[in-house]
Amino acid sequence: MKHKFIYFTLLLVSLLITSACKKTAVGFLSPYIHYEVDPILIPKGRNFLSAGLNGDGTSQPYTCKVLHFYNKATGQNVDTMFAHTYPVQIWTALYSPKTDTTLALINGKRRTVNVPAVAISPESGQITANFGALNIPGGEYQFDLQITNDAGTRIYPKIGDFILKDTTTYDAVPALGTQYDKLFEVGNEGVSQLAGTPTLTIVRTGDTPNAVTVQFEDKTGAFFDPSKNEIIRRPSGNTYLQTLQDYAIAYTVTNNAMVFQYAFTPFPLNSLGNGFNIYYRIPTQYAHIDGQPDGKWSMNPRFPFRLYVPGAYTITMQFPDVTRVP
């Protein structure tokens, strides 16, 4: 009996020693890591950030590395196309709209780096894109990922699937709202009615300068003259509704247009109220409105606008039932 006790004691000690010497597995790397959205839709030319990977319990931290990009329709390797880099400005300090009021102050907080138009974050697997994607043909693409953590390394063939979709370089109607010409009775702002719906035309005219030109045109093709106060801010109680001047870093007028310089996109960066609608007024003495007595109404045009790709833009609003009175 004594010998049996000694035997079992030695066996137990042996098992404990073996267990203590056995290496414990570290971490977990799931074979089922995936993106929740498939395919991911990326509007070309706009800053974009997707959701990250669903790790399916994978131990963190992990790192991601793209191995190859493919054209999904043809299966062709397109690594070279996605390896090309484009200059992008990044912030090096916190932007403050209250104090960073000039281009020099803003540029002091930015620097230019060359980055791919589409990239995958090594830390999260999120897909990022910038306006350099305008140089890549629209279509559906896939990519392979290599993911590594403490548990090892695994390759996930064609785990990512995204569509580069051609879109406008700005939002206006109907994405942000509608345009109108609202008439307010002179001397009695509580009385109003809508005039004919203006035609809104927006054209990106070049890569430079970063400026938006706004013109108001009557039905004959004549432009209202902001330098003579034919276009002014629209009152709202004791203040004014927002104009592009409130968002721009510089503002000038000509005899037929208002020109707003901006420093970065999106422009406007944030809304000051009422979404991204922009408001103006044309005083009654400068306009004849079809079917209305002269001197009764002021014109109050509104249009929505926000741009995402830098460059020069011209916004023209034409009124179908208004004749300019010079």
Side-chain angles (χ1 to χ4, degrees), residues 284-295:
T284 186
Q285 65 267 33
Y286 300 116
H288 168 75
I289 305 162
D290 292 349
Q292 300 292 339
D294 290 340

Side-chain angles (χ1 to χ4, degrees), residues 7-326:
Y7 171 77
F8 283 116
T9 299
L10 292 174
L11 179 62
L12 179 59
V13 170
S14 176
L15 289 173
L16 289 173
I17 293 173
T18 302
S19 176
C21 294
K22 189 175 181 179
K23 187 175 181 179
T24 303
V26 177
F28 171 67
L29 183 58
S30 172
Y32 303 113
I33 294 176
H34 63 280
Y35 287 95
E36 295 284 356
V37 179
D38 182 28
I40 295 170
L41 184 63
I42 301 176
K44 285 179 61 176
R46 303 191 182 188
N47 289 327
F48 177 84
L49 179 66
S50 77
L53 287 163
N54 182 328
D56 188 48
T58 293
S59 302
Q60 295 189 6
Y62 55 76
T63 58
C64 305
K65 178 183 177 182
V66 178
L67 299 181
H68 299 293
F69 286 97
Y70 307 93
N71 182 312
K72 185 174 182 179
T74 64
Q76 178 185 6
N77 182 300
V78 288
D79 289 349
T80 302
M81 185 166 63
F82 282 93
H84 192 79
T85 60
Y86 303 89
V88 173
Q89 288 187 317
I90 62 171
W91 293 98
T92 59
L94 185 64
Y95 165 70
S96 171
K98 292 184 178 180
T99 58
D100 299 325
T101 55
T102 68
L103 187 58
L105 289 170
I106 291 171
N107 284 340
K109 293 185 174 182
R110 299 189 298 177
R111 65 184 177 91
T112 301
V113 296
N114 290 313
V115 296
V118 178
I120 285 77
S121 168
E123 294 81 13
S124 63
Q126 290 172 284
I127 303 176
T128 63
N130 56 64
F131 66 85
L134 290 170
N135 300 287
I136 300 176
E140 191 163 359
Y141 298 92
Q142 295 177 310
F143 57 87
D144 304 333
L145 270 188
Q146 175 182 288
I147 300 178
T148 301
N149 68 358
D150 288 342
T153 298
R154 187 186 293 269
I155 295 174
Y156 299 80
K158 298 181 178 177
I159 184 176
D161 192 328
F162 62 91
I163 297 173
L164 283 179
K165 182 180 179 182
D166 291 309
T167 186
T168 59
T169 57
Y170 61 87
D171 277 338
V173 178
L176 296 178
T178 59
Q179 80 276 29
Y180 66 54
D181 177 20
K182 196 169 188 178
L183 306 180
F184 285 97
E185 186 173 325
V186 176
N188 186 4
E189 296 277 320
V191 178
S192 65
Q193 66 180 53
L194 289 176
T197 302
T199 300
L200 188 68
T201 304
I202 302 174
V203 179
R204 186 174 185 269
T205 57
D207 293 334
T208 58
N210 287 349
V212 178
T213 299
V214 178
Q215 299 176 310
F216 289 149
E217 183 180 10
D218 77 1
K219 68 179 186 179
T220 71
F223 292 104
F224 289 90
D225 184 349
S227 70
K228 295 180 178 178
N229 291 323
E230 294 178 13
I231 305 170
I232 61 175
R233 301 181 68 124
R234 175 175 158 182
S236 177
N238 295 322
T239 60
Y240 296 93
L241 294 176
Q242 72 261 28
T243 72
L244 282 179
Q245 184 178 350
D246 296 317
Y247 301 103
I249 59 170
Y251 165 64
T252 57
V253 298
T254 68
N255 61 359
N256 63 11
M258 300 172 289
V259 182
F260 306 91
Q261 296 179 31
Y262 63 93
F264 52 85
T265 57
F267 173 74
L269 177 63
N270 296 304
S271 170
L272 295 176
N274 300 314
F276 292 98
N277 290 306
I278 307 302
Y279 298 85
Y280 290 97
R281 169 165 289 185
I282 297 174
T284 186
Q285 65 267 33
Y286 300 116
H288 168 75
I289 305 162
D290 292 349
Q292 300 292 339
D294 290 340
K296 181 176 181 179
W297 305 100
S298 67
M299 293 172 54
N300 296 269
R302 181 194 81 174
F303 63 88
F305 179 70
R306 193 185 195 203
L307 67 86
Y308 301 96
V309 178
Y313 292 77
T314 297
I315 301 173
T316 304
M317 178 177 269
Q318 184 175 35
F319 306 100
D321 54 352
V322 175
T323 303
R324 175 178 173 254
V325 178

